[in-house]
Structures are given as C-alpha cells and as structure tokens.
Amino acid sequence: MSMNIAIDGPAGAGKSTIAKRVAKELGFIYVDTGAMYRAMALYILRHGVNEKEESAVAAVCDRIDVALRYVDGNQMVLLCGEDVSTEIRKEEVGNMASVTSVYPCVRQKLLSLQQDLAAREDVIMDGRDIGTCVLPDAPLKIYLTASVETRAKRRYQELQEKGQTCDLTEIMKDIEDRDYRDMHREISPLAQAEDAILVDSSDMTIEEVVAKITDLAKERMA
C-alpha cells in the first residue's frame, strides 16, 4: 500500500519548496497540484477565455490536456504536450489559477489524475485541499502556513532574484486577496484538516521545516 503525505496551506507558505525537499529525503514522488491548476489557467489566458464566466471555462475544459512527467527526478508540467514548467510560474498565471480553480469542471478534471497517481505511488502532494478532499485518508497531513508579511517578503525576494520589477505592498495585497478567495470559495475551500499538524514557518528556516516534516513521516511509516 502506498504512503501519502498531504501538505496544504495558503499561497506563498513554501509548500512546493518544502514538499520537493521532503520528497527527495524520503524517495517519494512530488506532485505539485498547484502547477496543474496553473497549467489550466495558462491555457485559459492564452486563448482569451473569460475567466469570470464558468460556462466559458467549462466549454474549453475538455480541450485541455495536463500531464506530469519525471525526467531525472525532476517534474515537468506538460500542457497539451508542451513543457510549460517555467511559464506557469508567472504572477498573472498564479492569479488566474486562483480565480479558475473554484470551478467544479476544473477541479474534477484534475482530481482523478491526482488520486490515481497517489494510489500507485508513495507521493507527497501539496495544494489547498489535499488533506480535506484529494487525499482525505493520507496517513500524514500537514497544514503549512506563515504570516502574510513573511510570505510577501519571500515572494518579493524571489522575484527580485529573477530580475523582475515588483512592489512589496502590491504583493502583500495579492496574497491577502488570494487567501480570501481560497478560503471562501464554494468548492473545496482552503482549510486545515481536523487531523492535520499545523506548521507555522514564519520563524523557521527551510531546513528546519524539512527536518520536522521528514521526522513526522518516518514516525508514521514506522
């Protein structure tokens, strides 16, 4: 039987960074569900679909093919066969994903792919509703968070390192808006599962968070 780890939390909490490191430590497959939603959002952006109309988004869902591939241990995100791993990290794609991920047609399309993978492999999966909806029976669930200020500063530094012009106040406002949307959406809102362990990384290093989650996983596996 496969061992699954679910990591949920708000935007900018470091879920992907932490999950990748823990996966490497444990020899698990890392599944970036946010990247899958971003790939769908990228398609919607590219094709000028009105994201505010659910019917318009639903009309193109069947045309969107999202897949994950692993090459030398690294995850590639494919959109209709094209590697979009880098392009989906743009800010406008993340904001579009936050808007369109509320629609049942989008969520249902990706849910079965995620659950099938988890049934076959030892996976660590991160997102907004992994412990509550996607992998409700996962032996280990983590709710990873950090203050809005901390998350905004991390994102600001990340964008600066990439040479992108950015404004800290604007990033903080974007994060607050995304938190509100994610926590108040009708379908699968962001919430801490009852049996999830809360990890606040505001005053923790990446290494400390990775060590904590890795230790918890080893305890469950034992």
Side-chain angles (χ1 to χ4, degrees):
M1 187 175 173
S2 57
M3 166 69 181
N4 298 160
I5 302 172
I7 299 184
D8 289 307
K15 298 184 299 295
S16 298
T17 301
I18 299 300
K20 285 175 190 172
R21 294 273 292 269
V22 174
K24 193 171 182 180
E25 289 280 333
L26 298 173
F28 280 27
I29 287 177
Y30 164 61
V31 182
D32 182 354
T33 62
M36 298 165 80
Y37 283 103
R38 281 169 175 263
M40 293 195 74
L42 178 60
Y43 184 98
I44 289 162
L45 265 173
R46 283 178 170 180
H47 290 80
V49 178
N50 185 349
E51 75 278 8
K52 292 177 182 174
E53 290 187 11
E54 184 178 351
S55 58
V57 174
V60 299
C61 266
D62 286 344
R63 301 181 212 160
I64 308 174
D65 178 47
V66 177
L68 299 180
R69 293 284 182 274
Y70 292 88
V71 180
D72 298 328
N74 295 314
Q75 177 184 271
M76 284 173 56
V77 183
L78 303 179
L79 174 60
C80 301
E82 176 194 350
D83 180 6
V84 293
S85 306
T86 301
E87 195 168 352
I88 59 170
R89 295 301 164 192
K90 291 178 179 175
E91 202 74 5
E92 63 267 25
V93 179
N95 289 332
M96 177 64 82
S98 180
V99 174
T100 56
S101 64
V102 303
Y103 298 136
C105 56
V106 173
R107 305 197 72 79
Q108 193 55 48
K109 183 174 183 73
L110 297 177
L111 180 64
S112 57
L113 177 63
Q114 294 159 3
Q115 290 179 332
D116 287 348
L117 187 55
R120 297 192 313 269
E121 307 280 356
D122 291 335
V123 304
I124 181 164
M125 199 177 286
D126 73 285
R128 303 285 192 280
D129 63 345
I130 309 304
T132 52
C133 299
V134 182
L135 301 177
D137 299 321
L140 177 60
K141 299 177 188 176
I142 303 291
Y143 190 83
L144 181 65
T145 189
S147 68
V148 171
E149 292 79 11
T150 299
R151 288 184 280 142
K153 284 175 185 172
R154 287 173 183 169
R155 184 64 179 152
Y156 178 79
Q157 288 169 354
E158 185 184 321
L159 291 171
Q160 278 206 319
E161 284 166 10
K162 291 179 180 176
Q164 295 182 29
T165 304
C166 51
D167 179 83
L168 183 59
T169 305
E170 197 174 297
I171 291 171
M172 199 176 295
K173 178 70 167 60
D174 276 349
I175 286 175
E176 287 173 340
D177 289 348
R178 286 176 68 178
D179 282 355
Y180 185 86
R181 282 198 301 269
D182 290 342
M183 290 175 181
H184 291 83
R185 67 190 182 201
E186 216 170 302
I187 307 294
S188 305
L190 168 64
Q192 181 178 340
E194 285 184 13
D195 53 347
I197 297 168
L198 176 66
V199 177
D200 188 327
S201 70
S202 297
D203 299 313
M204 296 173 75
T205 65
I206 290 173
E207 289 72 23
E208 287 171 337
V209 179
V210 169
K212 183 177 179 67
I213 296 175
T214 301
D215 287 346
L216 287 167
K218 287 177 179 175
E219 284 174 18
R220 299 295 162 93
M221 290 161 73

